[in-house]
Amino acid sequence: MKARITVTLKNGVLDPQGKAIEAALGSFGLGGIGGVRQGKVFDIELHGSDKDAAEATLRQACDKLLANTVVEDYAIEIA
Amino acid sequence: MKARITVTLKNGVLDPQGKAIEAALGSFGLGGIGGVRQGKVFDIELHGSDKDAAEATLRQACDKLLANTVVEDYAIEIA
């Protein structure tokens, strides 16, 4: 089973890396960009075929290691 | 208009960060994980409503700045 976890900064949390990317895109002459927010993605291969168990495992993984839930949100998609 | 760009390592490219995450998850007692690959995500706010123009701009952004196309693939989703 494959899963994708996307970790993004919560709304309202400053994202200096995103701002730097936005400025860099502007300096490359790419217009029309109103804002950039940067995040992380994890593609995870799971053994077994129990989706509920997989989601519980991934939720624990996010809470313990992959996301800082004080300032970040995460989304889990299981394929 | 909002867009999401996902940048992931190409298949076959070593991902030591993913391996480290996999080992860390194991040491937290989370079983059933067969592999982890790590990537980046960019949430981009665009002015205007021309999807084709937006995709062309984002493709340039990926090729010039956001992805290293030698070792990384990118996917653009426009909402």
Side-chain angles (χ1 to χ4, degrees):
Chain A
M1 217 173 1
K2 280 175 189 280
R4 169 164 281 187
I5 294 171
T6 312
V7 177
T8 49
L9 285 172
K10 289 189 193 210
N11 283 334
V13 176
L14 284 180
D15 181 4
Q17 194 173 354
K19 283 278 168 214
I21 293 165
E22 195 183 326
L25 288 173
S27 76
F28 275 125
L30 295 173
I33 288 170
V36 179
R37 305 274 290 169
Q38 207 261 339
K40 289 170 282 185
V41 67
F42 304 96
D43 286 321
I44 298 182
E45 185 69 51
L46 293 145
H47 302 308
S49 58
D50 181 344
K51 275 202 175 188
D52 291 342
E55 193 175 331
T57 302
L58 294 176
R59 206 162 281 283
Q60 268 192 294
C62 287
D63 288 331
K64 285 186 176 173
L65 183 74
L66 301 178
N68 173 359
T69 54
V70 177
V71 291
E72 290 173 327
D73 286 323
Y74 60 83
I76 297 171
E77 296 159 73
I78 299 177
Chain B
M1 216 173 3
K2 279 174 190 282
R4 168 164 282 186
I5 293 171
T6 310
V7 178
T8 49
L9 285 172
K10 288 187 194 211
N11 283 335
V13 176
L14 283 181
D15 181 5
Q17 193 174 355
K19 283 277 168 218
I21 294 165
E22 194 182 327
L25 289 173
S27 75
F28 276 125
L30 295 173
I33 288 171
V36 179
R37 305 275 288 171
Q38 208 261 339
K40 289 170 282 184
V41 66
F42 304 95
D43 286 322
I44 298 183
E45 185 69 51
L46 292 146
H47 302 307
S49 58
D50 180 344
K51 276 202 176 187
D52 291 342
E55 193 173 333
T57 301
L58 294 175
R59 207 163 280 282
Q60 267 192 293
C62 287
D63 288 330
K64 284 185 176 174
L65 184 74
L66 301 178
N68 174 358
T69 54
V70 177
V71 290
E72 290 172 327
D73 286 322
Y74 61 84
I76 297 171
E77 295 160 73
I78 300 178

